[in-house]
Amino acid sequence: MSYEAKRLIEIRQGVLSKNDQLAAELRSRFHAAGVFVVNLLSSPGAGKTSLLEATMRALLAEYRVAALVGDLATDNDARRLARSGGLVRQIQTGDMCHLEADIVARHLEGWDLHELDLLFIENVGNLVCPSGYDLGEATRVVLLSTTEGEDKPLKYPSTFATADAVLLTKMDLAEPVGFDRAQAEANIRAVNPLAPIIATSARREGGLDEWLAWLRERVTMQKEQRRSSG
Amino acid sequence: MHELSIAHNIVNIASTAAAEAGAEEISVVHLRIGALAGVVADALRFSFAIAAEGTPLANAELIIEEVPVTVFCPTCNTEVTLPNPRLFRCPQCGQPSGQIVHGRELELVALETP
């Protein structure tokens, strides 16, 4: 047995640095190809798939749209989304509770990103685990449905504080379930004073108008930035 | 429960660093975890014990430094630490501040040998 002196080995490295590096590579690929990428986060059942199906259907006439859909075990969501007419690919995550950049990269194989304007990544339904994993997205959108508690933003600040936009979904159910919109907005504002809060209903006629307008503006902004940067 | 996947990352990075430094056994792992990192310290300790089995880190203790949320307050033109990670309001001037500077860290700082 050797009695070597106690030593300190300095590392100073992000535990998720490998993911961060891959995400940065993805972000440059997306930017170079001119595709605007949206990472959608929410708890299970908050309406990501319904929102996405209606969103893709509404935008298909204007943009070339695709979606990567994270799901634990089934391909139900992908089959639902394929009905919208957009390109859809399922990511079966098995027992993973979140998506990581390398999984996204693997599932992009065979797609020509230059042929796309918009790519949605539907994360695994979970308000904790996905928040630390950058996927190279241009924007991170978090959903809060009217059928959940208004206090979700306070319970999951790590996800809501890092959102670029927060969508209130299932607004058509707000009244029957007694959703207190002012309270929900105050709670979102408490942890995220800057993100726009957009009310949506995937079922109501015109229920996505504000969300679609926000998306169009962001897609146009990215295209203009890209043009001016050469 | 992504703490297990994080624990595996920690074990991988630490094992490589330990091997490079020629250390056969690690007794302490120093981490910095932000209040917004979405990591539960107890769940991480539990997961780490599993992930470290059969590695030089098998008997290592996790020492976790918690990093509070710091935001940039445009009104005060300075970085301020939030006393409460559920209220993004400058403690000096009371204005809402959402520009996160610190609090998302998940960093492997250093290892100690016995």
Side-chain angles (χ1 to χ4, degrees), chain A residues 126-159:
Chain A
N126 186 318
L127 281 177
V128 180
C129 311
S131 76
Y133 294 86
D134 185 1
L135 303 180
E137 71 268 16
T139 193
R140 179 182 288 211
V141 175
V142 178
L143 279 59
L144 175 65
S145 69
T146 56
T147 53
E148 299 172 81
E150 289 88 357
D151 57 352
K152 280 269 170 85
L154 302 180
K155 287 183 176 167
Y156 302 98
S158 57
T159 295

Side-chain angles (χ1 to χ4, degrees), chain A:
Chain A
M1 195 165 167
S2 68
Y3 288 89
E4 59 175 304
K6 185 171 165 161
R7 278 194 298 154
L8 188 73
I9 303 165
E10 278 220 49
I11 299 183
R12 297 207 170 276
Q13 184 181 337
V15 172
L16 302 179
S17 55
K18 203 172 137 197
N19 184 77
D20 290 343
Q21 193 188 330
L22 282 169
E25 287 168 26
L26 275 178
R27 186 166 285 112
S28 347
R29 271 178 67 194
F30 293 147
H31 196 261
V35 55
F36 185 75
V37 181
V38 182
N39 185 2
L40 285 174
L41 278 72
S42 79
S43 55
K48 286 188 301 298
T49 310
S50 296
L51 177 96
L52 197 46
E53 187 183 347
T55 301
M56 289 176 77
R57 189 166 282 156
L59 293 175
L60 270 174
E62 298 158 64
Y63 300 120
R64 298 163 299 179
V65 188
L68 290 178
V69 188
D71 194 339
L72 295 175
T74 71
D75 65 350
N76 297 349
D77 290 357
R79 283 192 280 117
R80 270 173 71 192
L81 285 174
R83 297 190 307 213
S84 71
L87 267 177
V88 176
R89 203 171 264 177
Q90 176 80 39
I91 303 177
Q92 275 186 17
T93 53
D95 57 357
M96 291 260 290
C97 48
H98 60 277
L99 294 180
E100 297 189 7
D102 69 324
I103 304 174
V104 169
R106 271 207 311 279
H107 284 79
L108 289 172
E109 276 169 24
W111 276 359
D112 184 356
L113 295 176
H114 290 86
E115 296 293 317
L116 293 177
D117 299 306
L118 246 165
L119 170 68
F120 293 96
I121 304 173
E122 183 184 332
N123 222 307
V124 182
N126 186 318
L127 281 177
V128 180
C129 311
S131 76
Y133 294 86
D134 185 1
L135 303 180
E137 71 268 16
T139 193
R140 179 182 288 211
V141 175
V142 178
L143 279 59
L144 175 65
S145 69
T146 56
T147 53
E148 299 172 81
E150 289 88 357
D151 57 352
K152 280 269 170 85
L154 302 180
K155 287 183 176 167
Y156 302 98
S158 57
T159 295
F160 282 92
T162 55
D164 296 310
V166 178
L167 303 190
L168 300 177
T169 60
K170 307 189 189 178
M171 283 306 287
D172 46 297
L173 294 177
E175 224 179 285
V177 299
F179 176 68
D180 185 342
R181 181 170 173 180
Q183 187 60 56
E185 293 200 8
N187 290 342
I188 295 167
R189 280 285 161 259
V191 298
N192 192 330
L194 301 174
I197 300 171
I198 305 171
T200 66
S201 165
R203 288 189 180 172
R204 253 186 217 153
E205 187 68 30
L208 298 181
D209 287 358
E210 197 189 339
W211 155 240
L212 296 174
W214 184 82
L215 270 178
R216 287 188 187 100
E217 195 184 309
R218 302 298 303 263
V219 173
T220 308
M221 261 165 55
Q222 175 164 306
K223 285 199 186 298
E224 277 167 7
Q225 267 175 18
R226 203 168 153 256
R227 210 167 296 140
S228 62
S229 67

Side-chain angles (χ1 to χ4, degrees), chain A residues 7 9 11 13 15 154 190, chain B residues 21 86 88 106 108-109 111 113:
Chain A
R7 278 194 298 154
I9 303 165
I11 299 183
Q13 184 181 337
V15 172
L154 302 180
Chain B
R86 285 165 178 80
F88 280 65
L106 184 48
L108 179 44
V109 181
L111 308 175
T113 63

